[in-house]
Amino acid sequence: MSGPPLPANAATPERKRPHKLTQTRVLDAKYQLGEELGRGASGRVYRAFNRETGEFCAIKEIAIKDMPESGLRSVQSEIELLHTLQHERIVRCYETVRTSDHLYIVLELMGNGSLASIVKKFGRFPEPLVATYARQVLEGLEHLHAHGVCHRDIKGANVLIAREGEVELADLLAVTLTLALTLSRTLAPPLTLTPALTRALPRSSWPTLASRASWATRRA
């Protein structure tokens, strides 16, 4: 049996919205991880809050528990190189944080996603805009090549758009990370690597693979 009708001006009880859980992980007592922005073969990327400056950044989480020490040294060498490649057309790498199981790369946060995601949402770009993006990508590649570095994975998902609408190259480490993991599981001892395969590897990995005592620095 139903009760008396509610007055016309009576407020109806609000439904409680499900509480969205937020991450509580804090790296190095400094970076608090937020929502996941994306993931790929080499790891996951999270939005993060810098508790010291109040700024936001992107943090890439890479599992290193099963990565051999030689592969990890190769990756760290590539990261050190990124710090010397600061350019307006390349996503900035600020620092790294290493734990027992993961390596975290602190990166510039790009607010508008990648070219691939923008095309998927909004369709094809007009030709003048394509020309602008192409010029900006080439400016980034020119800077890398001037320092003897090849990106090796140019695609729409690795070209990110800043809030101002300009693009920057990202994920320079993707191929290095994939090779580091693959080599540890599938290849014969380093000294039996063929010249063709050695040429396909990042130069920073050559000293480890060849077990050399010293190595010349990367050409400027």
Side-chain angles (χ1 to χ4, degrees):
M1 185 173 179
S2 60
L6 293 173
N9 60 351
T12 56
E14 292 186 0
R15 289 186 177 181
K16 291 185 178 181
R17 296 181 179 179
H19 179 66
K20 186 177 182 180
L21 296 177
T22 57
Q23 290 205 54
T24 58
R25 284 192 295 166
V26 177
L27 301 176
D28 203 27
K30 182 177 181 180
Y31 299 105
Q32 182 169 351
L33 298 187
E35 71 270 27
E36 182 178 317
L37 299 177
R39 65 177 66 187
S42 58
R44 301 183 180 186
V45 179
Y46 299 94
R47 183 190 302 272
F49 176 66
N50 187 324
R51 299 167 65 92
E52 294 181 356
T53 66
E55 297 176 325
F56 286 88
C57 59
I59 292 186
K60 186 164 190 173
E61 178 187 62
I62 302 164
I64 60 174
K65 186 175 182 180
D66 297 326
M67 185 182 294
E69 191 63 29
S70 59
L72 183 57
R73 285 197 299 268
S74 174
V75 171
Q76 290 176 322
S77 178
E78 293 288 326
I79 292 173
E80 291 172 4
L81 176 67
L82 288 183
H83 288 292
T84 70
L85 293 175
Q86 305 295 349
H87 189 270
E88 61 180 350
R89 300 297 176 219
I90 299 173
V91 174
R92 291 196 63 178
C93 175
Y94 297 121
E95 63 174 314
T96 60
V97 179
R98 180 177 175 180
T99 66
S100 58
D101 294 334
H102 293 90
L103 179 68
Y104 296 90
I105 307 174
V106 184
L107 302 163
E108 176 185 2
L109 179 64
M110 304 294 287
N112 292 325
S114 67
L115 286 185
S117 64
I118 297 300
V119 169
K120 186 176 181 179
K121 293 178 181 177
F122 297 98
R124 292 183 296 178
F125 300 133
E127 187 172 329
L129 184 58
V130 173
T132 298
Y133 287 157
R135 174 178 55 81
Q136 293 172 357
V137 168
L138 290 173
E139 289 172 356
L141 291 176
E142 182 181 36
H143 181 73
L144 292 178
H145 296 171
H147 289 77
V149 178
C150 180
H151 188 289
R152 302 187 296 265
D153 195 24
I154 294 294
K155 58 185 180 183
N158 288 339
V159 180
L160 305 185
I161 305 179
R163 295 189 183 278
E164 298 79 12
E166 298 185 340
V167 301
E168 298 181 21
L169 299 176
D171 217 7
L172 275 70
L173 295 173
V175 175
T176 300
L177 291 165
T178 303
L179 283 171
L181 289 170
T182 303
L183 287 173
S184 67
R185 300 168 183 165
T186 61
L187 294 181
L191 293 179
T192 65
L193 293 176
T194 65
L197 182 56
T198 303
R199 286 194 297 270
L201 299 175
R203 293 182 62 181
S204 60
S205 67
W206 292 359
T208 301
L209 294 175
S211 299
R212 296 177 182 175
S214 62
W215 181 248
T217 57
R218 190 184 289 264
R219 70 178 179 85

